[in-house]
Amino acid sequence: MLIKRSEDIPSSDITPESTYLNRRKFIAGFGLGGALGSSMIRSQFDSAKVLEDEFSRTQKDWSRVRSDLDEELNSYEDVTTYNNFYEFGTGKDDPAKNSHTLKPHPWNIEVDGLCAKRGTYGLEEFIKPRNMEDRVYRLRCVEAWSMVIPWYGFSLKEVIDWAEPLGSARYIEFTSLYNLEQMPMQRSFVLEWPYVEGLRLDEARHPLTILVTGVYGRELPNQNGAPLRLIVPWKYGFKGIKSIVKIRFTETQPLNTWQQSTPREYGFYANVNPGVDHPRWSQARERRLGELRKRPTLMFNGYGEQVANLYSGMDLRLNF
Ligand code: MTE
């Protein structure tokens, strides 16, 4: 596996990130308590022990955390200032400047379609029973930049198993928030709103596919898709839908926003593939943010050993 969990470090190596901790973060952090039941979480809410545990997670020396491919992490600044989030503008620096209007708490997630657990759930309720972990993944965007990022989240499979999809369900569709006050750029016609993405159920169940609530030991910043976003590390970044408000199980393949917008350029699968160029540029090389020289792009973003079998027998030139 290419997943690498974060390393623990001596308490002497303390970074100043503690300043970002606040009560709201603690509430979210407790909710992510893995095996803890909800009543236990509540009863421990004010206990110093839980505060300490959550605190220590933010105190890692992130500069020492690398992926198994021995790639350096991009800085917190890279990750949070060079973004795509068209609801807040099309410039890479727009989301960091404009996304303060997004209100990620309180937040509801609707579960819909072909499953037993249809309904609307508060975010805490939705993520509380899940097994949260730090995981280092590459993000590779179609426009040929890449980053290595320590995300915090849980396997989407956990949600799927809990939701009990019916036998007829073959896909899962995700929808982002549609709210003109919080996302004023949705008044523009740059894309169809709300932003929609989808995965085949076997892709969605793959252990590398995660729902993310944090990055670099902190709560997910608005510009990165607070409070809940998807990461599918072997696919182009546009599959990583942000600020999710709905998941829906379907029999038919969802129409994702970019495919709807420009079907010649963006497909449903969007597997990173250096052999298939975007009609307007090559996908063979990429620039890691912070580096000058480009590097060759790896098939499936380097995760081929784990995911290639999902596509055996498929023509990946046609299914781009
Ligand atoms: N999700 C929504 N709702 N709106 C968007 O514009 N952009 C996508 C994806 N998720 C986008 C989105 C694209 S094109 C990319 S490359 C990634 O988010 C960027 O994630 P990052 O800004 O955290 O690096």
Side-chain angles (χ1 to χ4, degrees), residues 14-45:
I14 288 180
T15 68
E17 297 188 1
S18 55
T19 49
Y20 285 82
L21 289 172
N22 55 36
R23 185 175 166 83
R24 194 184 75 186
K25 173 163 180 38
F26 286 143
I27 292 168
F30 297 157
L32 316 180
L36 291 179
S38 59
S39 57
M40 200 169 163
I41 289 166
R42 248 174 251 125
S43 68
Q44 292 197 350
F45 180 79

Side-chain angles (χ1 to χ4, degrees), residues 7 85 155:
E7 295 161 26
F85 200 169
S155 284

Side-chain angles (χ1 to χ4, degrees), residues 79 82-87 95 139-143 145 147 149 151 176-177 183 191 193 195 223-225 229 231 236-243 258:
V79 174
Y82 195 87
N83 300 101
N84 267 350
F85 200 169
Y86 276 25
E87 286 88 334
L139 180 82
R140 169 43 166 98
C141 289
V142 233
E143 293 154 86
W145 89 85
M147 290 195 229
I149 304 175
W151 300 110
S176 291
L177 179 69
M183 297 175 154
L191 287 175
W193 310 112
Y195 195 97
Q223 59 268 36
N224 292 90
R229 59 101 45 99
I231 288 291
Y236 289 116
F238 70 84
K239 298 298 281 185
I241 182 170
K242 297 177 168 181
S243 303
W258 280 103

Side-chain angles (χ1 to χ4, degrees), residues 4-9 60-67 71-73 136 148 150 216:
K4 175 92 185 260
R5 316 280 184 251
S6 317
E7 295 161 26
D8 288 322
I9 55 140
K60 294 208 170 84
D61 179 355
W62 294 100
S63 66
R64 292 194 194 169
V65 178
R66 288 164 179 248
S67 74
E71 295 173 54
E72 281 196 33
L73 295 182
V136 175
V148 179
Y216 259 109

